[in-house]
Amino acid sequence: MKPSISRSFTPFVAQLGVEMVHAGIDRSELRLSLEPRHLNGLDVAHGGLIMTLLDAAMGAAARAKDPDGRGVVTIEMKTSFLRPARGVLSAFGFCDHHSASLAFCRGELRDASGRLLAQSMGTFRRMREGQRLDLQPTDPPVGPAA
């Protein structure tokens, strides 16, 4: 049974106030109305917020295209910031190709008038059924001891 795509939001993304508009095999769309907490010192969307929106949109697209609805984790992402982002933002994700273990995606961030503000490409690892991330370190820390 395919899990609800809305469950793909991490608590971090959910607390930002992001709305899932669409998630299908053609694309995903997320929407966010910027608030003061989302802005940088220049009163435009913080770059980390923009990357988070694009990452979540691409991840939702990768997950929606998977017939089993498996989760994905980002293993690589590149973002180009084209214009300052203000107002209501829409992030679109597209899964252009997927294999048994990887999904290759692209994302676009647009303003309410449809202007392209940022674009990204990402590679996502598709998780196996029941697989969970091992967050325990396996190697000793590198560098000076605390």
Side-chain angles (χ1 to χ4, degrees), residues 78-100:
K78 179 206 183 297
T79 302
S80 297
F81 301 93
L82 307 174
R83 293 181 179 88
R86 298 178 177 92
V88 177
L89 306 178
S90 293
F92 300 90
F94 307 90
C95 184
D96 294 325
H97 177 74
H98 65 86
S99 66

Side-chain angles (χ1 to χ4, degrees), residues 5 20-31 56-65 90-96 105-108:
I5 196 70
M20 176 69 74
V21 176
H22 175 79
I25 61 169
D26 58 335
R27 67 177 169 79
S28 69
E29 181 181 353
L30 312 180
R31 187 172 300 136
M58 290 187 295
R63 187 171 178 180
K65 197 158 190 174
S90 293
F92 300 90
F94 307 90
C95 184
D96 294 325
C105 301
R106 61 190 162 86
E108 299 177 350

Side-chain angles (χ1 to χ4, degrees), residues 4 10 19-20 23 29 34 46 49 59 70-71 80 83 85 89-90 92 105 107 120 125 128 134 136 143:
S4 165
T10 64
E19 172 193 358
M20 176 69 74
E29 181 181 353
L34 289 178
H46 188 281
L49 174 76
R70 293 179 292 174
S80 297
R83 293 181 179 88
L89 306 178
S90 293
F92 300 90
C105 301
S120 64
R125 181 163 184 248
R128 291 186 304 273
D134 179 11
Q136 301 300 315

Side-chain angles (χ1 to χ4, degrees), residues 132-140:
R132 301 195 58 80
L133 295 176
D134 179 11
L135 300 178
Q136 301 300 315
T138 57
D139 296 320

